[in-house]
mmCIF file with all atom_site columns, all heavy atoms in Angstrom:
data_model
loop_
_atom_site.group_PDB
_atom_site.id
_atom_site.type_symbol
_atom_site.label_atom_id
_atom_site.label_alt_id
_atom_site.label_comp_id
_atom_site.label_asym_id
_atom_site.label_entity_id
_atom_site.label_seq_id
_atom_site.pdbx_PDB_ins_code
_atom_site.Cartn_x
_atom_site.Cartn_y
_atom_site.Cartn_z
_atom_site.occupancy
_atom_site.B_iso_or_equiv
_atom_site.pdbx_formal_charge
_atom_site.auth_seq_id
_atom_site.auth_comp_id
_atom_site.auth_asym_id
_atom_site.auth_atom_id
_atom_site.pdbx_PDB_model_num
ATOM 1   N N   . LEU A 1 1  ? 0.798   -1.205 -0.033 1.00 71.00 ? 369 LEU A N   1
ATOM 2   C CA  . LEU A 1 1  ? -0.103  -0.077 0.021  1.00 71.00 ? 369 LEU A CA  1
ATOM 3   C C   . LEU A 1 1  ? 0.829   1.270  0.054  1.00 71.00 ? 369 LEU A C   1
ATOM 4   O O   . LEU A 1 1  ? 1.874   1.269  0.611  1.00 71.00 ? 369 LEU A O   1
ATOM 5   C CB  . LEU A 1 1  ? -0.969  0.015  1.221  1.00 71.00 ? 369 LEU A CB  1
ATOM 6   C CG  . LEU A 1 1  ? -1.990  -0.926 1.199  1.00 71.00 ? 369 LEU A CG  1
ATOM 7   C CD1 . LEU A 1 1  ? -2.694  -0.928 2.556  1.00 71.00 ? 369 LEU A CD1 1
ATOM 8   C CD2 . LEU A 1 1  ? -3.000  -0.745 0.193  1.00 71.00 ? 369 LEU A CD2 1
ATOM 9   N N   . PRO A 1 2  ? 0.364   2.367  -0.626 1.00 80.00 ? 370 PRO A N   1
ATOM 10  C CA  . PRO A 1 2  ? 1.213   3.622  -0.732 1.00 80.00 ? 370 PRO A CA  1
ATOM 11  C C   . PRO A 1 2  ? 1.065   4.289  0.715  1.00 80.00 ? 370 PRO A C   1
ATOM 12  O O   . PRO A 1 2  ? 0.294   5.351  0.672  1.00 80.00 ? 370 PRO A O   1
ATOM 13  C CB  . PRO A 1 2  ? 0.516   4.295  -1.876 1.00 80.00 ? 370 PRO A CB  1
ATOM 14  C CG  . PRO A 1 2  ? -0.903  3.932  -1.818 1.00 80.00 ? 370 PRO A CG  1
ATOM 15  C CD  . PRO A 1 2  ? -0.886  2.404  -1.365 1.00 80.00 ? 370 PRO A CD  1
ATOM 16  N N   . ILE A 1 3  ? 1.810   3.903  1.709  1.00 91.00 ? 371 ILE A N   1
ATOM 17  C CA  . ILE A 1 3  ? 1.741   4.561  3.034  1.00 91.00 ? 371 ILE A CA  1
ATOM 18  C C   . ILE A 1 3  ? 3.152   5.054  3.299  1.00 91.00 ? 371 ILE A C   1
ATOM 19  O O   . ILE A 1 3  ? 4.075   4.455  3.166  1.00 91.00 ? 371 ILE A O   1
ATOM 20  C CB  . ILE A 1 3  ? 1.357   3.480  4.177  1.00 91.00 ? 371 ILE A CB  1
ATOM 21  C CG1 . ILE A 1 3  ? -0.041  2.867  3.842  1.00 91.00 ? 371 ILE A CG1 1
ATOM 22  C CG2 . ILE A 1 3  ? 1.461   4.189  5.397  1.00 91.00 ? 371 ILE A CG2 1
ATOM 23  C CD1 . ILE A 1 3  ? -0.506  1.807  4.855  1.00 91.00 ? 371 ILE A CD1 1
ATOM 24  N N   . ASP A 1 4  ? 3.083   6.224  3.783  1.00 94.00 ? 372 ASP A N   1
ATOM 25  C CA  . ASP A 1 4  ? 4.371   7.010  4.117  1.00 94.00 ? 372 ASP A CA  1
ATOM 26  C C   . ASP A 1 4  ? 4.226   7.390  5.589  1.00 94.00 ? 372 ASP A C   1
ATOM 27  O O   . ASP A 1 4  ? 3.435   8.271  5.968  1.00 94.00 ? 372 ASP A O   1
ATOM 28  C CB  . ASP A 1 4  ? 4.617   8.188  3.103  1.00 94.00 ? 372 ASP A CB  1
ATOM 29  C CG  . ASP A 1 4  ? 6.009   8.828  3.364  1.00 94.00 ? 372 ASP A CG  1
ATOM 30  O OD1 . ASP A 1 4  ? 6.815   8.163  3.933  1.00 94.00 ? 372 ASP A OD1 1
ATOM 31  O OD2 . ASP A 1 4  ? 6.153   9.992  2.869  1.00 94.00 ? 372 ASP A OD2 1
ATOM 32  N N   . ILE A 1 5  ? 5.116   6.805  6.389  1.00 95.00 ? 373 ILE A N   1
ATOM 33  C CA  . ILE A 1 5  ? 5.184   7.170  7.754  1.00 95.00 ? 373 ILE A CA  1
ATOM 34  C C   . ILE A 1 5  ? 6.273   8.069  8.162  1.00 95.00 ? 373 ILE A C   1
ATOM 35  O O   . ILE A 1 5  ? 7.401   7.815  7.681  1.00 95.00 ? 373 ILE A O   1
ATOM 36  C CB  . ILE A 1 5  ? 5.159   5.911  8.746  1.00 95.00 ? 373 ILE A CB  1
ATOM 37  C CG1 . ILE A 1 5  ? 4.101   4.927  8.538  1.00 95.00 ? 373 ILE A CG1 1
ATOM 38  C CG2 . ILE A 1 5  ? 5.311   6.152  10.185 1.00 95.00 ? 373 ILE A CG2 1
ATOM 39  C CD1 . ILE A 1 5  ? 2.757   5.446  8.896  1.00 95.00 ? 373 ILE A CD1 1
ATOM 40  N N   . LEU A 1 6  ? 6.081   9.262  8.791  1.00 97.00 ? 374 LEU A N   1
ATOM 41  C CA  . LEU A 1 6  ? 6.963   10.216 9.057  1.00 97.00 ? 374 LEU A CA  1
ATOM 42  C C   . LEU A 1 6  ? 7.184   10.306 10.456 1.00 97.00 ? 374 LEU A C   1
ATOM 43  O O   . LEU A 1 6  ? 6.308   10.424 11.170 1.00 97.00 ? 374 LEU A O   1
ATOM 44  C CB  . LEU A 1 6  ? 6.642   11.571 8.449  1.00 97.00 ? 374 LEU A CB  1
ATOM 45  C CG  . LEU A 1 6  ? 6.345   11.578 7.009  1.00 97.00 ? 374 LEU A CG  1
ATOM 46  C CD1 . LEU A 1 6  ? 5.811   12.957 6.562  1.00 97.00 ? 374 LEU A CD1 1
ATOM 47  C CD2 . LEU A 1 6  ? 7.487   11.077 6.128  1.00 97.00 ? 374 LEU A CD2 1
ATOM 48  N N   . ASN A 1 7  ? 8.517   10.443 10.910 1.00 97.00 ? 375 ASN A N   1
ATOM 49  C CA  . ASN A 1 7  ? 8.762   10.630 12.369 1.00 97.00 ? 375 ASN A CA  1
ATOM 50  C C   . ASN A 1 7  ? 8.730   12.056 12.713 1.00 97.00 ? 375 ASN A C   1
ATOM 51  O O   . ASN A 1 7  ? 9.760   12.795 12.883 1.00 97.00 ? 375 ASN A O   1
ATOM 52  C CB  . ASN A 1 7  ? 10.294  9.936  12.519 1.00 97.00 ? 375 ASN A CB  1
ATOM 53  C CG  . ASN A 1 7  ? 10.623  10.066 13.994 1.00 97.00 ? 375 ASN A CG  1
ATOM 54  O OD1 . ASN A 1 7  ? 11.743  9.937  14.320 1.00 97.00 ? 375 ASN A OD1 1
ATOM 55  N ND2 . ASN A 1 7  ? 9.746   10.087 14.986 1.00 97.00 ? 375 ASN A ND2 1
ATOM 56  N N   . THR A 1 8  ? 7.522   12.495 12.864 1.00 97.00 ? 376 THR A N   1
ATOM 57  C CA  . THR A 1 8  ? 7.306   13.942 13.295 1.00 97.00 ? 376 THR A CA  1
ATOM 58  C C   . THR A 1 8  ? 6.018   14.046 13.976 1.00 97.00 ? 376 THR A C   1
ATOM 59  O O   . THR A 1 8  ? 5.196   13.288 13.963 1.00 97.00 ? 376 THR A O   1
ATOM 60  C CB  . THR A 1 8  ? 7.308   14.826 11.975 1.00 97.00 ? 376 THR A CB  1
ATOM 61  O OG1 . THR A 1 8  ? 7.182   16.223 12.269 1.00 97.00 ? 376 THR A OG1 1
ATOM 62  C CG2 . THR A 1 8  ? 6.211   14.377 11.042 1.00 97.00 ? 376 THR A CG2 1
ATOM 63  N N   . GLY A 1 9  ? 5.785   15.314 14.551 1.00 96.00 ? 377 GLY A N   1
ATOM 64  C CA  . GLY A 1 9  ? 4.618   15.614 15.297 1.00 96.00 ? 377 GLY A CA  1
ATOM 65  C C   . GLY A 1 9  ? 3.491   16.070 14.233 1.00 96.00 ? 377 GLY A C   1
ATOM 66  O O   . GLY A 1 9  ? 3.780   16.368 12.997 1.00 96.00 ? 377 GLY A O   1
ATOM 67  N N   . TYR A 1 10 ? 2.284   16.115 14.571 1.00 97.00 ? 378 TYR A N   1
ATOM 68  C CA  . TYR A 1 10 ? 1.077   16.463 13.576 1.00 97.00 ? 378 TYR A CA  1
ATOM 69  C C   . TYR A 1 10 ? 1.191   17.842 13.036 1.00 97.00 ? 378 TYR A C   1
ATOM 70  O O   . TYR A 1 10 ? 1.012   18.102 11.911 1.00 97.00 ? 378 TYR A O   1
ATOM 71  C CB  . TYR A 1 10 ? -0.216  16.114 14.269 1.00 97.00 ? 378 TYR A CB  1
ATOM 72  C CG  . TYR A 1 10 ? -0.764  17.283 14.984 1.00 97.00 ? 378 TYR A CG  1
ATOM 73  C CD1 . TYR A 1 10 ? -1.756  18.151 14.432 1.00 97.00 ? 378 TYR A CD1 1
ATOM 74  C CD2 . TYR A 1 10 ? -0.435  17.424 16.407 1.00 97.00 ? 378 TYR A CD2 1
ATOM 75  C CE1 . TYR A 1 10 ? -2.260  19.276 15.187 1.00 97.00 ? 378 TYR A CE1 1
ATOM 76  C CE2 . TYR A 1 10 ? -0.977  18.511 17.015 1.00 97.00 ? 378 TYR A CE2 1
ATOM 77  C CZ  . TYR A 1 10 ? -1.893  19.341 16.533 1.00 97.00 ? 378 TYR A CZ  1
ATOM 78  O OH  . TYR A 1 10 ? -2.504  20.453 17.222 1.00 97.00 ? 378 TYR A OH  1
ATOM 79  N N   . LEU A 1 11 ? 1.792   18.757 13.821 1.00 97.00 ? 379 LEU A N   1
ATOM 80  C CA  . LEU A 1 11 ? 1.788   20.161 13.442 1.00 97.00 ? 379 LEU A CA  1
ATOM 81  C C   . LEU A 1 11 ? 2.826   20.291 12.270 1.00 97.00 ? 379 LEU A C   1
ATOM 82  O O   . LEU A 1 11 ? 2.499   20.849 11.187 1.00 97.00 ? 379 LEU A O   1
ATOM 83  C CB  . LEU A 1 11 ? 2.211   21.050 14.673 1.00 97.00 ? 379 LEU A CB  1
ATOM 84  C CG  . LEU A 1 11 ? 1.043   21.456 15.579 1.00 97.00 ? 379 LEU A CG  1
ATOM 85  C CD1 . LEU A 1 11 ? 1.415   22.229 16.732 1.00 97.00 ? 379 LEU A CD1 1
ATOM 86  C CD2 . LEU A 1 11 ? -0.148  22.144 14.787 1.00 97.00 ? 379 LEU A CD2 1
ATOM 87  N N   . SER A 1 12 ? 4.068   19.830 12.421 1.00 97.00 ? 380 SER A N   1
ATOM 88  C CA  . SER A 1 12 ? 5.057   19.859 11.473 1.00 97.00 ? 380 SER A CA  1
ATOM 89  C C   . SER A 1 12 ? 4.762   19.104 10.337 1.00 97.00 ? 380 SER A C   1
ATOM 90  O O   . SER A 1 12 ? 5.105   19.417 9.180  1.00 97.00 ? 380 SER A O   1
ATOM 91  C CB  . SER A 1 12 ? 6.426   19.552 11.984 1.00 97.00 ? 380 SER A CB  1
ATOM 92  O OG  . SER A 1 12 ? 6.448   18.192 12.542 1.00 97.00 ? 380 SER A OG  1
ATOM 93  N N   . GLY A 1 13 ? 4.130   17.978 10.526 1.00 97.00 ? 381 GLY A N   1
ATOM 94  C CA  . GLY A 1 13 ? 3.736   17.081 9.510  1.00 97.00 ? 381 GLY A CA  1
ATOM 95  C C   . GLY A 1 13 ? 2.691   17.629 8.527  1.00 97.00 ? 381 GLY A C   1
ATOM 96  O O   . GLY A 1 13 ? 2.769   17.661 7.280  1.00 97.00 ? 381 GLY A O   1
ATOM 97  N N   . LEU A 1 14 ? 1.730   18.352 9.155  1.00 97.00 ? 382 LEU A N   1
ATOM 98  C CA  . LEU A 1 14 ? 0.672   18.868 8.316  1.00 97.00 ? 382 LEU A CA  1
ATOM 99  C C   . LEU A 1 14 ? 1.068   20.087 7.638  1.00 97.00 ? 382 LEU A C   1
ATOM 100 O O   . LEU A 1 14 ? 0.647   20.471 6.564  1.00 97.00 ? 382 LEU A O   1
ATOM 101 C CB  . LEU A 1 14 ? -0.628  19.295 9.288  1.00 97.00 ? 382 LEU A CB  1
ATOM 102 C CG  . LEU A 1 14 ? -1.465  18.169 9.745  1.00 97.00 ? 382 LEU A CG  1
ATOM 103 C CD1 . LEU A 1 14 ? -2.567  18.631 10.700 1.00 97.00 ? 382 LEU A CD1 1
ATOM 104 C CD2 . LEU A 1 14 ? -1.916  17.293 8.616  1.00 97.00 ? 382 LEU A CD2 1
ATOM 105 N N   . THR A 1 15 ? 2.079   20.878 8.222  1.00 97.00 ? 383 THR A N   1
ATOM 106 C CA  . THR A 1 15 ? 2.628   22.061 7.652  1.00 97.00 ? 383 THR A CA  1
ATOM 107 C C   . THR A 1 15 ? 3.305   21.784 6.308  1.00 97.00 ? 383 THR A C   1
ATOM 108 O O   . THR A 1 15 ? 3.206   22.507 5.258  1.00 97.00 ? 383 THR A O   1
ATOM 109 C CB  . THR A 1 15 ? 3.592   22.730 8.576  1.00 97.00 ? 383 THR A CB  1
ATOM 110 O OG1 . THR A 1 15 ? 2.912   23.135 9.823  1.00 97.00 ? 383 THR A OG1 1
ATOM 111 C CG2 . THR A 1 15 ? 4.272   24.046 7.957  1.00 97.00 ? 383 THR A CG2 1
ATOM 112 N N   . GLY A 1 16 ? 3.942   20.721 6.287  1.00 96.00 ? 384 GLY A N   1
ATOM 113 C CA  . GLY A 1 16 ? 4.526   20.297 4.924  1.00 96.00 ? 384 GLY A CA  1
ATOM 114 C C   . GLY A 1 16 ? 3.778   19.329 4.059  1.00 96.00 ? 384 GLY A C   1
ATOM 115 O O   . GLY A 1 16 ? 4.391   18.953 3.030  1.00 96.00 ? 384 GLY A O   1
ATOM 116 N N   . LEU A 1 17 ? 2.446   19.266 4.329  1.00 97.00 ? 385 LEU A N   1
ATOM 117 C CA  . LEU A 1 17 ? 1.709   18.423 3.435  1.00 97.00 ? 385 LEU A CA  1
ATOM 118 C C   . LEU A 1 17 ? 0.998   19.195 2.434  1.00 97.00 ? 385 LEU A C   1
ATOM 119 O O   . LEU A 1 17 ? 0.394   20.325 2.576  1.00 97.00 ? 385 LEU A O   1
ATOM 120 C CB  . LEU A 1 17 ? 0.540   17.747 4.341  1.00 97.00 ? 385 LEU A CB  1
ATOM 121 C CG  . LEU A 1 17 ? -0.356  16.638 3.736  1.00 97.00 ? 385 LEU A CG  1
ATOM 122 C CD1 . LEU A 1 17 ? 0.442   15.413 3.555  1.00 97.00 ? 385 LEU A CD1 1
ATOM 123 C CD2 . LEU A 1 17 ? -1.504  16.313 4.685  1.00 97.00 ? 385 LEU A CD2 1
ATOM 124 N N   . SER A 1 18 ? 0.928   18.672 1.242  1.00 95.00 ? 386 SER A N   1
ATOM 125 C CA  . SER A 1 18 ? 0.194   19.358 0.078  1.00 95.00 ? 386 SER A CA  1
ATOM 126 C C   . SER A 1 18 ? -0.845  18.472 -0.493 1.00 95.00 ? 386 SER A C   1
ATOM 127 O O   . SER A 1 18 ? -0.669  17.194 -0.503 1.00 95.00 ? 386 SER A O   1
ATOM 128 C CB  . SER A 1 18 ? 1.187   19.514 -1.034 1.00 95.00 ? 386 SER A CB  1
ATOM 129 O OG  . SER A 1 18 ? 2.203   20.508 -0.724 1.00 95.00 ? 386 SER A OG  1
ATOM 130 N N   . VAL A 1 19 ? -2.093  19.123 -0.720 1.00 96.00 ? 387 VAL A N   1
ATOM 131 C CA  . VAL A 1 19 ? -3.198  18.359 -1.154 1.00 96.00 ? 387 VAL A CA  1
ATOM 132 C C   . VAL A 1 19 ? -3.568  18.845 -2.678 1.00 96.00 ? 387 VAL A C   1
ATOM 133 O O   . VAL A 1 19 ? -3.532  20.016 -2.912 1.00 96.00 ? 387 VAL A O   1
ATOM 134 C CB  . VAL A 1 19 ? -4.432  18.645 -0.293 1.00 96.00 ? 387 VAL A CB  1
ATOM 135 C CG1 . VAL A 1 19 ? -5.757  17.889 -0.852 1.00 96.00 ? 387 VAL A CG1 1
ATOM 136 C CG2 . VAL A 1 19 ? -4.099  18.309 1.159  1.00 96.00 ? 387 VAL A CG2 1
ATOM 137 N N   . ALA A 1 20 ? -3.561  17.824 -3.584 1.00 95.00 ? 388 ALA A N   1
ATOM 138 C CA  . ALA A 1 20 ? -3.987  18.222 -4.903 1.00 95.00 ? 388 ALA A CA  1
ATOM 139 C C   . ALA A 1 20 ? -5.383  18.658 -5.080 1.00 95.00 ? 388 ALA A C   1
ATOM 140 O O   . ALA A 1 20 ? -6.264  18.417 -4.391 1.00 95.00 ? 388 ALA A O   1
ATOM 141 C CB  . ALA A 1 20 ? -3.786  17.022 -5.859 1.00 95.00 ? 388 ALA A CB  1
ATOM 142 N N   . PRO A 1 21 ? -5.729  19.511 -6.139 1.00 93.00 ? 389 PRO A N   1
ATOM 143 C CA  . PRO A 1 21 ? -6.972  20.119 -6.369 1.00 93.00 ? 389 PRO A CA  1
ATOM 144 C C   . PRO A 1 21 ? -8.126  19.086 -6.364 1.00 93.00 ? 389 PRO A C   1
ATOM 145 O O   . PRO A 1 21 ? -9.259  19.311 -5.957 1.00 93.00 ? 389 PRO A O   1
ATOM 146 C CB  . PRO A 1 21 ? -6.856  20.835 -7.668 1.00 93.00 ? 389 PRO A CB  1
ATOM 147 C CG  . PRO A 1 21 ? -5.424  21.163 -7.598 1.00 93.00 ? 389 PRO A CG  1
ATOM 148 C CD  . PRO A 1 21 ? -4.749  20.097 -7.159 1.00 93.00 ? 389 PRO A CD  1
ATOM 149 N N   . ASP A 1 22 ? -7.867  17.851 -6.913 1.00 94.00 ? 390 ASP A N   1
ATOM 150 C CA  . ASP A 1 22 ? -8.853  16.842 -7.120 1.00 94.00 ? 390 ASP A CA  1
ATOM 151 C C   . ASP A 1 22 ? -8.764  15.795 -6.021 1.00 94.00 ? 390 ASP A C   1
ATOM 152 O O   . ASP A 1 22 ? -9.306  14.748 -6.207 1.00 94.00 ? 390 ASP A O   1
ATOM 153 C CB  . ASP A 1 22 ? -8.626  16.260 -8.520 1.00 94.00 ? 390 ASP A CB  1
ATOM 154 C CG  . ASP A 1 22 ? -7.413  15.563 -8.718 1.00 94.00 ? 390 ASP A CG  1
ATOM 155 O OD1 . ASP A 1 22 ? -6.394  15.689 -7.750 1.00 94.00 ? 390 ASP A OD1 1
ATOM 156 O OD2 . ASP A 1 22 ? -7.129  14.812 -9.692 1.00 94.00 ? 390 ASP A OD2 1
ATOM 157 N N   . GLU A 1 23 ? -8.108  16.063 -4.920 1.00 95.00 ? 391 GLU A N   1
ATOM 158 C CA  . GLU A 1 23 ? -8.021  15.102 -3.725 1.00 95.00 ? 391 GLU A CA  1
ATOM 159 C C   . GLU A 1 23 ? -8.891  15.593 -2.667 1.00 95.00 ? 391 GLU A C   1
ATOM 160 O O   . GLU A 1 23 ? -9.207  16.669 -2.441 1.00 95.00 ? 391 GLU A O   1
ATOM 161 C CB  . GLU A 1 23 ? -6.550  15.027 -3.273 1.00 95.00 ? 391 GLU A CB  1
ATOM 162 C CG  . GLU A 1 23 ? -5.688  14.172 -4.050 1.00 95.00 ? 391 GLU A CG  1
ATOM 163 C CD  . GLU A 1 23 ? -4.357  14.016 -3.363 1.00 95.00 ? 391 GLU A CD  1
ATOM 164 O OE1 . GLU A 1 23 ? -3.813  15.013 -2.846 1.00 95.00 ? 391 GLU A OE1 1
ATOM 165 O OE2 . GLU A 1 23 ? -3.800  12.857 -3.422 1.00 95.00 ? 391 GLU A OE2 1
ATOM 166 N N   . LEU A 1 24 ? -9.487  14.523 -2.013 1.00 95.00 ? 392 LEU A N   1
ATOM 167 C CA  . LEU A 1 24 ? -10.232 14.613 -0.719 1.00 95.00 ? 392 LEU A CA  1
ATOM 168 C C   . LEU A 1 24 ? -9.253  14.305 0.426  1.00 95.00 ? 392 LEU A C   1
ATOM 169 O O   . LEU A 1 24 ? -8.726  13.240 0.411  1.00 95.00 ? 392 LEU A O   1
ATOM 170 C CB  . LEU A 1 24 ? -11.431 13.746 -0.701 1.00 95.00 ? 392 LEU A CB  1
ATOM 171 C CG  . LEU A 1 24 ? -12.165 13.689 0.644  1.00 95.00 ? 392 LEU A CG  1
ATOM 172 C CD1 . LEU A 1 24 ? -12.760 14.975 1.038  1.00 95.00 ? 392 LEU A CD1 1
ATOM 173 C CD2 . LEU A 1 24 ? -13.165 12.581 0.635  1.00 95.00 ? 392 LEU A CD2 1
ATOM 174 N N   . LEU A 1 25 ? -9.099  15.281 1.295  1.00 96.00 ? 393 LEU A N   1
ATOM 175 C CA  . LEU A 1 25 ? -8.265  15.164 2.433  1.00 96.00 ? 393 LEU A CA  1
ATOM 176 C C   . LEU A 1 25 ? -9.026  14.479 3.620  1.00 96.00 ? 393 LEU A C   1
ATOM 177 O O   . LEU A 1 25 ? -10.136 14.994 4.079  1.00 96.00 ? 393 LEU A O   1
ATOM 178 C CB  . LEU A 1 25 ? -7.655  16.523 3.024  1.00 96.00 ? 393 LEU A CB  1
ATOM 179 C CG  . LEU A 1 25 ? -6.902  16.408 4.236  1.00 96.00 ? 393 LEU A CG  1
ATOM 180 C CD1 . LEU A 1 25 ? -5.622  15.451 4.077  1.00 96.00 ? 393 LEU A CD1 1
ATOM 181 C CD2 . LEU A 1 25 ? -6.419  17.812 4.638  1.00 96.00 ? 393 LEU A CD2 1
ATOM 182 N N   . ILE A 1 26 ? -8.717  13.350 3.995  1.00 96.00 ? 394 ILE A N   1
ATOM 183 C CA  . ILE A 1 26 ? -9.259  12.509 5.121  1.00 96.00 ? 394 ILE A CA  1
ATOM 184 C C   . ILE A 1 26 ? -8.364  12.472 6.298  1.00 96.00 ? 394 ILE A C   1
ATOM 185 O O   . ILE A 1 26 ? -7.197  11.984 6.206  1.00 96.00 ? 394 ILE A O   1
ATOM 186 C CB  . ILE A 1 26 ? -9.722  11.120 4.606  1.00 96.00 ? 394 ILE A CB  1
ATOM 187 C CG1 . ILE A 1 26 ? -10.692 11.128 3.533  1.00 96.00 ? 394 ILE A CG1 1
ATOM 188 C CG2 . ILE A 1 26 ? -10.361 10.383 5.852  1.00 96.00 ? 394 ILE A CG2 1
ATOM 189 C CD1 . ILE A 1 26 ? -11.009 9.770  2.888  1.00 96.00 ? 394 ILE A CD1 1
ATOM 190 N N   . ALA A 1 27 ? -8.722  13.056 7.367  1.00 96.00 ? 395 ALA A N   1
ATOM 191 C CA  . ALA A 1 27 ? -7.919  13.207 8.537  1.00 96.00 ? 395 ALA A CA  1
ATOM 192 C C   . ALA A 1 27 ? -8.459  12.260 9.600  1.00 96.00 ? 395 ALA A C   1
ATOM 193 O O   . ALA A 1 27 ? -9.543  12.481 10.102 1.00 96.00 ? 395 ALA A O   1
ATOM 194 C CB  . ALA A 1 27 ? -7.694  14.653 9.029  1.00 96.00 ? 395 ALA A CB  1
ATOM 195 N N   . PHE A 1 28 ? -7.694  11.266 10.058 1.00 94.00 ? 396 PHE A N   1
ATOM 196 C CA  . PHE A 1 28 ? -8.076  10.476 11.219 1.00 94.00 ? 396 PHE A CA  1
ATOM 197 C C   . PHE A 1 28 ? -7.372  11.048 12.505 1.00 94.00 ? 396 PHE A C   1
ATOM 198 O O   . PHE A 1 28 ? -6.164  11.186 12.549 1.00 94.00 ? 396 PHE A O   1
ATOM 199 C CB  . PHE A 1 28 ? -7.625  8.963  10.983 1.00 94.00 ? 396 PHE A CB  1
ATOM 200 C CG  . PHE A 1 28 ? -8.068  8.133  12.155 1.00 94.00 ? 396 PHE A CG  1
ATOM 201 C CD1 . PHE A 1 28 ? -9.386  7.732  12.316 1.00 94.00 ? 396 PHE A CD1 1
ATOM 202 C CD2 . PHE A 1 28 ? -7.097  7.698  13.146 1.00 94.00 ? 396 PHE A CD2 1
ATOM 203 C CE1 . PHE A 1 28 ? -9.853  6.899  13.307 1.00 94.00 ? 396 PHE A CE1 1
ATOM 204 C CE2 . PHE A 1 28 ? -7.578  6.830  14.182 1.00 94.00 ? 396 PHE A CE2 1
ATOM 205 C CZ  . PHE A 1 28 ? -8.852  6.535  14.329 1.00 94.00 ? 396 PHE A CZ  1
ATOM 206 N N   . ILE A 1 29 ? -8.247  11.347 13.457 1.00 94.00 ? 397 ILE A N   1
ATOM 207 C CA  . ILE A 1 29 ? -7.752  12.038 14.602 1.00 94.00 ? 397 ILE A CA  1
ATOM 208 C C   . ILE A 1 29 ? -7.992  11.317 15.910 1.00 94.00 ? 397 ILE A C   1
ATOM 209 O O   . ILE A 1 29 ? -9.249  11.048 16.239 1.00 94.00 ? 397 ILE A O   1
ATOM 210 C CB  . ILE A 1 29 ? -8.520  13.414 14.678 1.00 94.00 ? 397 ILE A CB  1
ATOM 211 C CG1 . ILE A 1 29 ? -8.275  14.244 13.459 1.00 94.00 ? 397 ILE A CG1 1
ATOM 212 C CG2 . ILE A 1 29 ? -7.955  14.253 15.964 1.00 94.00 ? 397 ILE A CG2 1
ATOM 213 C CD1 . ILE A 1 29 ? -9.118  15.522 13.431 1.00 94.00 ? 397 ILE A CD1 1
ATOM 214 N N   . ALA A 1 30 ? -6.936  10.757 16.396 1.00 91.00 ? 398 ALA A N   1
ATOM 215 C CA  . ALA A 1 30 ? -7.076  9.998  17.692 1.00 91.00 ? 398 ALA A CA  1
ATOM 216 C C   . ALA A 1 30 ? -5.900  10.325 18.694 1.00 91.00 ? 398 ALA A C   1
ATOM 217 O O   . ALA A 1 30 ? -5.006  9.442  18.800 1.00 91.00 ? 398 ALA A O   1
ATOM 218 C CB  . ALA A 1 30 ? -7.019  8.515  17.388 1.00 91.00 ? 398 ALA A CB  1
ATOM 219 N N   . PRO A 1 31 ? -5.964  11.504 19.239 1.00 92.00 ? 399 PRO A N   1
ATOM 220 C CA  . PRO A 1 31 ? -4.744  11.784 20.195 1.00 92.00 ? 399 PRO A CA  1
ATOM 221 C C   . PRO A 1 31 ? -4.876  11.054 21.432 1.00 92.00 ? 399 PRO A C   1
ATOM 222 O O   . PRO A 1 31 ? -5.920  10.610 21.692 1.00 92.00 ? 399 PRO A O   1
ATOM 223 C CB  . PRO A 1 31 ? -5.029  13.378 20.301 1.00 92.00 ? 399 PRO A CB  1
ATOM 224 C CG  . PRO A 1 31 ? -6.457  13.595 20.138 1.00 92.00 ? 399 PRO A CG  1
ATOM 225 C CD  . PRO A 1 31 ? -6.803  12.603 19.143 1.00 92.00 ? 399 PRO A CD  1
ATOM 226 N N   . PRO A 1 32 ? -3.773  11.046 22.235 1.00 90.00 ? 400 PRO A N   1
ATOM 227 C CA  . PRO A 1 32 ? -3.838  10.424 23.586 1.00 90.00 ? 400 PRO A CA  1
ATOM 228 C C   . PRO A 1 32 ? -4.930  11.190 24.358 1.00 90.00 ? 400 PRO A C   1
ATOM 229 O O   . PRO A 1 32 ? -5.018  12.414 24.359 1.00 90.00 ? 400 PRO A O   1
ATOM 230 C CB  . PRO A 1 32 ? -2.459  10.732 24.066 1.00 90.00 ? 400 PRO A CB  1
ATOM 231 C CG  . PRO A 1 32 ? -1.478  10.849 22.855 1.00 90.00 ? 400 PRO A CG  1
ATOM 232 C CD  . PRO A 1 32 ? -2.484  11.485 21.871 1.00 90.00 ? 400 PRO A CD  1
ATOM 233 N N   . TRP A 1 33 ? -5.585  10.459 25.178 1.00 88.00 ? 401 TRP A N   1
ATOM 234 C CA  . TRP A 1 33 ? -6.614  10.917 25.977 1.00 88.00 ? 401 TRP A CA  1
ATOM 235 C C   . TRP A 1 33 ? -6.203  11.699 27.300 1.00 88.00 ? 401 TRP A C   1
ATOM 236 O O   . TRP A 1 33 ? -6.666  12.561 27.712 1.00 88.00 ? 401 TRP A O   1
ATOM 237 C CB  . TRP A 1 33 ? -7.633  9.880  26.352 1.00 88.00 ? 401 TRP A CB  1
ATOM 238 C CG  . TRP A 1 33 ? -8.489  9.471  25.235 1.00 88.00 ? 401 TRP A CG  1
ATOM 239 C CD1 . TRP A 1 33 ? -8.591  10.084 23.971 1.00 88.00 ? 401 TRP A CD1 1
ATOM 240 C CD2 . TRP A 1 33 ? -9.456  8.396  25.074 1.00 88.00 ? 401 TRP A CD2 1
ATOM 241 N NE1 . TRP A 1 33 ? -9.472  9.480  23.071 1.00 88.00 ? 401 TRP A NE1 1
ATOM 242 C CE2 . TRP A 1 33 ? -9.957  8.233  23.839 1.00 88.00 ? 401 TRP A CE2 1
ATOM 243 C CE3 . TRP A 1 33 ? -9.724  7.287  26.057 1.00 88.00 ? 401 TRP A CE3 1
ATOM 244 C CZ2 . TRP A 1 33 ? -10.882 7.385  23.420 1.00 88.00 ? 401 TRP A CZ2 1
ATOM 245 C CZ3 . TRP A 1 33 ? -10.658 6.361  25.615 1.00 88.00 ? 401 TRP A CZ3 1
ATOM 246 C CH2 . TRP A 1 33 ? -11.123 6.452  24.339 1.00 88.00 ? 401 TRP A CH2 1
#
């Protein structure tokens, strides 16, 4: 599967993320409680 795991926090990870115009961004959010 095309999965890329990065050793970074969510803020820096999202800052460097780009979404194509025809893509739907799906965010799974499950932080520590």
